[in-house]
Amino acid sequence: MPNSNLKDPINVLLIDDQPMIGEAVKRMLIPEIDIKFSYCSNPTQTLQVAAEFHPTVILQDLVMPEIDGLLLVKFLRAHNAVTRNIPLIVLSSKEEPIIKAKAFELGANDYLVKLPDRMELIARIRYHSKAYINYLKRQEAEALLQAENQRQAQYIQQVNKVTAAAVAVEKNEFDPQSLAPVASRSDELGQLARVFTQMVQIVKIREQELTNSNTKLSSLCDSASRFVPHEYVNFLRKNDFTELQLGDHVSKTMAIMFSDIRSFTTISEAMTPRENFAFVNAYLQRVSPEIRNHNGFIVKFLGDGMMAVFPDAADDAVLAGIDKQNQVREFNQQLIAQNQVPINVGIGIHVGHMMVGVVGEHNRMQGDAFSDNVNLTARLEGLTKFYGVSMLISEQAYDNLVDPQRYQLHFLDRAIVKGKNEPITVYEVLDGEKPEIRELKLKTQADFAQGIAYYRQADRIAQSQSYFERVLAVNPHDLTAQLYLQRVTHLVNQGVPDNWQGIWTFTEK
């Protein structure tokens, strides 16, 4: 279906010596009303066409008789070329890793085997065009800011002239001509210049004091808001961060989320400390906004992880978790494009009564949350690595959802986590999972559920084995099914406990 909701037009320039390819791409893009298409069959005319068409993305064939494709990439990325910053997707008739690597080295942004799938082509065109349009907007904003700064600088220069005139008045050295440019103004400054009384000096002093004070306060507020987000301040019923006191807190039932990058220690060992900081910050900058987007706030960062609360609804937490996983998939595409290892993130969500507030001492305070439910959520997040899943919610979170049927929820287990005595019921949230994994789990859900049903019955536990084996026959990477198969084997060999209720006790975090 064509996308007509985008505000900014997308201009696609195709450079290919084969008119047949040009026509095929044109037909792919015709339904997209916000996409304009231009075709250039002669690569030597590329810069001229680009200067006239103003593309937001360029598609370029790598094999053309007039010019070597990689050489054209180099020309398009030349320092003085109008195309040097325009996203470039190179097209090739087949996957050639060496050619692909060389194209990226010369400045290409993407690589496709032609003719690509229409949906994939349009998605990549939109992705790169959006980035380029945002880049142009930033440049425009910077130009406007520079112009405003120049205007402000001119204003300050004239304020300084008025100030100098006031000093000259006190010394009987004032020359009216020195204020002529300022006196011609029609604003308050011009009036002040025309009057040129000794109040100029007082105004200057007051203005400077006020400017310094406002600058300092503004800088302080901006800095503090990055450490104490306004959502947290509002939650604690304060007007601004200056009102926060040690011990301020709110106690209520709410949803809490813990998330963490799986095996980050192993990943970080291949990085320098600077690279570690850059990697974690890049990840957190991508996923953290989803917390705010769903009415939550981050209580604190835990290295590569975070703890967040959602005061209003369990649905907020689940939706935020789903969108976080979507952001992780996009982040992984970026990592793969940079030849880096993609990451897996585990998310645990629970609902319970807890106290969120300010802890520490008078010279060093920070936000935190306290409750046994907080510890339980941390354990829940830790279970994701044992089950091999990306997102788990507790039974309490499930019961607090407005409509659980809205989500693709998958019962996993009843278990006792390390450090606890009571069992918890856990569900997997499939909505944020990779589409291919979600499809396999939905396909095997019936066999998995039947295996669980037999597993929880002491006299039929052996029968569950075949169902878990069926799951693994379809989805051999289902770690939860593997885990259950290991348990069944252990129980069959060691004997099922007399009081068996299908509850497993974890001895690790």
Side-chain angles (χ1 to χ4, degrees):
M1 178 180 293
N3 189 332
S4 61
N5 294 324
L6 295 180
K7 297 180 180 178
D8 300 302
I10 294 173
N11 295 338
V12 179
L13 172 59
L14 172 64
I15 308 164
D16 196 302
D17 63 301
Q18 300 181 56
M20 179 178 63
I21 299 297
E23 183 63 24
V25 174
K26 178 180 178 181
R27 292 186 179 184
M28 289 183 184
L29 302 182
I30 283 178
E32 308 300 314
I33 62 176
D34 61 322
I35 296 180
K36 295 182 180 179
F37 174 75
S38 181
Y39 169 60
C40 177
S41 62
N42 186 347
T44 63
Q45 298 177 356
T46 297
L47 296 179
Q48 178 183 350
V49 174
E52 297 172 353
F53 182 61
H54 303 294
T56 59
V57 65
I58 296 174
L59 309 178
Q60 181 215 312
D61 187 20
L62 281 181
V63 180
M64 292 179 286
E66 292 87 353
I67 189 173
D68 177 75
L70 292 177
L71 181 59
L72 181 57
V73 172
K74 187 175 182 180
F75 284 155
L76 294 177
R77 285 297 181 253
H79 178 70
N80 59 346
V82 296
T83 58
R84 63 185 180 276
N85 294 317
I86 300 174
L88 177 61
I89 303 176
V90 295
L91 305 175
S92 181
S93 59
K94 59 182 178 178
E95 285 282 352
E96 297 182 39
I98 295 177
I99 300 298
K100 182 189 296 187
K102 185 63 177 176
F104 283 135
E105 180 181 345
L106 292 174
N109 300 90
D110 209 340
Y111 185 100
L112 283 173
V113 175
K114 65 179 184 180
L115 282 171
D117 175 77
R118 175 182 178 274
M119 183 177 298
E120 180 181 5
L121 176 63
I122 292 174
R124 297 199 186 202
I125 287 173
R126 291 192 185 283
Y127 175 81
H128 290 295
S129 292
K130 181 178 179 181
Y132 180 64
I133 291 169
N134 287 340
Y135 163 78
L136 295 179
K137 288 181 177 179
R138 285 196 302 272
Q139 283 193 321
E140 181 181 359
E142 289 171 0
L144 292 174
L145 178 61
Q146 184 177 5
E148 176 62 18
N149 286 341
Q150 290 176 348
R151 190 186 71 82
Q152 292 290 347
Q154 183 182 20
Y155 181 89
I156 292 173
Q157 287 175 356
Q158 295 188 338
V159 169
N160 290 337
K161 286 186 178 182
V162 175
T163 302
V167 174
V169 167
E170 287 188 332
K171 297 180 178 180
N172 296 319
E173 298 174 355
F174 177 71
D175 180 7
Q177 292 303 314
S178 66
L179 276 184
V182 186
S184 64
R185 297 174 64 101
S186 60
D187 58 4
E188 297 84 358
L189 183 60
Q191 181 182 2
L192 184 61
R194 290 188 294 271
V195 176
F196 61 88
T197 66
Q198 293 185 8
M199 286 299 296
V200 173
Q201 185 179 26
I202 298 175
V203 170
K204 176 185 180 299
I205 295 172
R206 294 286 188 265
E207 183 182 74
Q208 192 61 50
E209 290 175 349
L210 182 60
T211 300
N212 292 342
S213 177
N214 286 341
T215 301
K216 184 176 181 180
L217 180 59
S218 177
S219 177
L220 180 61
C221 289
D222 289 343
S223 298
S225 66
R226 293 193 289 269
F227 288 92
V228 186
H230 67 87
E231 297 92 350
Y232 194 86
V233 174
N234 294 339
F235 175 74
L236 294 176
R237 305 185 183 96
K238 303 296 181 181
N239 293 319
D240 59 64
F241 78 96
T242 61
E243 297 180 4
L244 291 178
Q245 298 290 329
L246 191 65
D248 286 341
H249 70 278
V250 170
S251 182
K252 61 177 291 188
T253 297
M254 60 189 102
I256 183 168
M257 171 194 291
F258 272 79
S259 68
D260 192 39
I261 299 178
R262 297 272 76 91
S263 304
F264 182 70
T265 300
T266 302
I267 297 174
S268 65
E269 286 176 350
M271 302 180 188
T272 65
R274 182 184 295 273
E275 290 171 338
N276 263 298
F277 269 94
F279 182 89
V280 170
N281 285 332
Y283 159 72
L284 293 177
Q285 287 178 32
R286 179 176 284 273
V287 302
S288 298
E290 299 302 341
I291 303 298
R292 296 189 297 273
N293 293 343
H294 294 284
N295 308 309
F297 59 87
I298 297 169
V299 178
K300 61 181 177 180
F301 291 107
L302 305 165
D304 59 292
M306 68 174 68
M307 175 174 66
V309 296
F310 300 81
D312 301 327
D315 288 84
D316 289 339
V318 173
L319 290 171
I322 293 171
D323 285 344
K324 278 182 65 173
Q325 291 294 354
N326 292 335
Q327 289 292 342
V328 169
R329 284 204 297 277
E330 292 186 13
F331 185 59
N332 279 337
Q333 292 177 2
Q334 176 182 328
L335 293 177
I336 293 171
Q338 297 171 352
N339 295 321
Q340 297 186 51
V341 179
I343 61 172
N344 293 307
V345 174
I347 297 175
I349 297 173
H350 179 56
V351 170
H353 194 274
M354 65 195 71
M355 184 176 74
V356 177
V358 181
V359 300
E361 50 101 7
H362 289 288
N363 291 325
R364 176 66 172 88
M365 299 184 295
Q366 70 176 34
D368 210 337
F370 293 95
S371 170
D372 187 57
N373 290 307
V374 174
N375 299 328
L376 180 59
T377 311
R379 295 289 186 271
L380 190 64
E381 180 273 320
L383 289 182
T384 59
K385 63 184 178 183
F386 293 103
Y387 294 115
V389 300
S390 62
M391 186 171 168
L392 291 177
I393 65 172
S394 66
E395 183 177 21
Q396 290 78 2
Y398 180 97
D399 292 340
N400 277 274
L401 294 174
V402 174
D403 179 16
Q405 301 305 315
R406 173 185 178 184
Y407 311 98
Q408 294 177 328
L409 302 177
H410 188 43
F411 171 83
L412 280 194
D413 204 359
R414 278 182 56 77
I416 299 174
V417 298
K418 183 175 176 61
K420 304 296 178 182
N421 296 318
E422 296 297 324
I424 59 171
T425 301
V426 293
Y427 296 83
E428 178 184 8
V429 181
L430 291 173
D431 302 73
E433 193 54 88
K434 297 177 182 177
E436 59 272 19
I437 295 178
R438 182 169 64 246
E439 182 179 350
L440 286 173
K441 289 193 174 184
L442 291 174
K443 185 176 181 179
T444 59
Q445 191 162 8
D447 284 332
F448 183 83
Q450 187 59 61
I452 293 290
Y454 285 151
Y455 168 81
R456 299 178 68 180
Q457 302 176 47
D459 58 339
R460 307 188 74 174
I461 193 168
Q463 295 177 250
S464 69
Q465 180 175 350
S466 62
Y467 288 93
F468 294 128
E469 289 174 344
R470 290 183 191 176
V471 172
L472 291 172
V474 176
N475 184 12
H477 299 296
D478 190 325
L479 295 184
T480 309
Q482 295 178 20
L483 179 66
Y484 270 107
L485 203 56
Q486 293 171 4
R487 290 183 187 176
V488 170
T489 301
H490 173 80
L491 291 169
V492 170
N493 293 337
Q494 301 297 323
V496 181
D498 294 336
N499 60 345
W500 177 251
Q501 296 180 334
I503 299 172
W504 190 265
T505 300
F506 282 92
T507 57
E508 298 179 72
K509 295 182 181 180

